[in-house]
Amino acid sequence: MLQHLIESKEIRQADLVGIIGSSGVVSEVVNGKRAISKAQAKALGDYFQISPSVFI
């Protein structure tokens, strides 16, 4: 889901570094190697202006 949002909004993974963590964490989350925490889901929901439940 996150990868789709990144592509559809034409943003870069680097744009999410301040939102959900370091560039390594962002890469792992986007590539499905790391689960999204509740805090990260809330931050992403705020950033994309959608419900955090989309990411959980």
Side-chain angles (χ1 to χ4, degrees), residues 3-54:
Q3 182 66 36
H4 175 72
L5 281 170
I6 289 172
E7 292 170 1
S8 67
K9 301 284 186 183
E10 297 182 359
I11 64 171
R12 299 172 297 132
Q13 287 187 20
D15 297 330
L16 300 178
V17 169
I19 297 163
I20 61 171
S22 69
S23 59
V25 170
V26 172
S27 178
E28 288 177 353
V29 167
V30 169
N31 292 312
K33 295 181 180 178
R34 178 187 288 239
I36 297 174
S37 71
K38 289 180 183 178
Q40 290 168 327
K42 176 156 179 15
L44 288 167
D46 291 345
Y47 181 78
F48 288 109
Q49 299 180 345
I50 60 176
S51 172
S53 65
V54 170

